[in-house]
Amino acid sequence: SSKLWPRWKTQNFIYNKGDYAKFLSKNGIPVAPAVQVKKPPKTKKQTQTIVNRLKKTGWESIIAKPELSAWSIGIEKIDQDDLNVNRLGQYFKDYRQYPRFIFQQALRGFAKKWEIRLFYFNGKFKYAIGNKAAIATGRDEIITYKPPQKDLDRVVRMGNKIMKLFPKTIIGGKKIEPTMIRMDFGCCLNNSLDSKDYFLNEIENQAANYFAR
């Protein structure tokens, strides 16, 4: 029998952010506006096509992320004024070991509002922390163990719905929930500062849960 845990179906679901974001969006979960690049460009012409797609979004700044990376490796902020073939080509060259990329709208709420990270154990919400990352604020990372209660209640409702949509692991005819899952919720969609516009930013596997309580 397999000694791999979580089961590969669960791990693969989490690793492929672009795919689970589309799946969850179709099921009523708000997610960040994003452009998914499923194959790194091999020519300047292909890179220019991606640049054109990103410029058409009208986003003031873009957050670039390689899929399958960890520990914030490859996360870079690119302003529209700096978005060109050379800049993006260098980015793809620097992270050419990654198979896919996500480009999200840079939202000002990440600097002004708490990114709320929920920790689920055996499918149940247990606790949360609030985080303001250095890439968003330009300062050292800030953490709180008491995110605003109204915002926390709002994202926990979303988190509970997401857990119900998670790939099912069945062992001996019984459904087994993931041992530990972290979900990160950011603010705010439409680049507002309205707490009603929290959205799912990403899901992390249990190996990424380094905020102990």
Side-chain angles (χ1 to χ4, degrees), residues 17-18 20-34 104 107 110 116 151 154-162 165 183-190 192 194-203:
K17 178 174 180 176
Y20 74 63
K22 289 179 182 178
F23 168 73
L24 293 175
S25 179
K26 289 179 181 178
N27 283 275
I29 303 296
V31 299
Q104 288 183 200
L107 300 169
F110 277 95
I116 301 178
D151 296 343
R154 185 174 289 113
V155 299
V156 168
R157 286 194 292 271
M158 284 192 275
N160 292 343
K161 184 175 180 180
I162 291 168
L165 295 167
M183 301 184 205
D184 299 348
F185 292 84
C187 193
C188 310
L189 289 176
N190 305 310
S192 74
D194 189 338
S195 293
K196 293 180 181 177
D197 291 330
Y198 264 90
F199 61 90
L200 176 73
N201 187 37
E202 58 190 0
I203 301 171

Side-chain angles (χ1 to χ4, degrees), residues 9 100 121 152 203:
K9 183 187 290 187
R100 296 178 298 280
F121 291 81
L152 178 59
I203 301 171

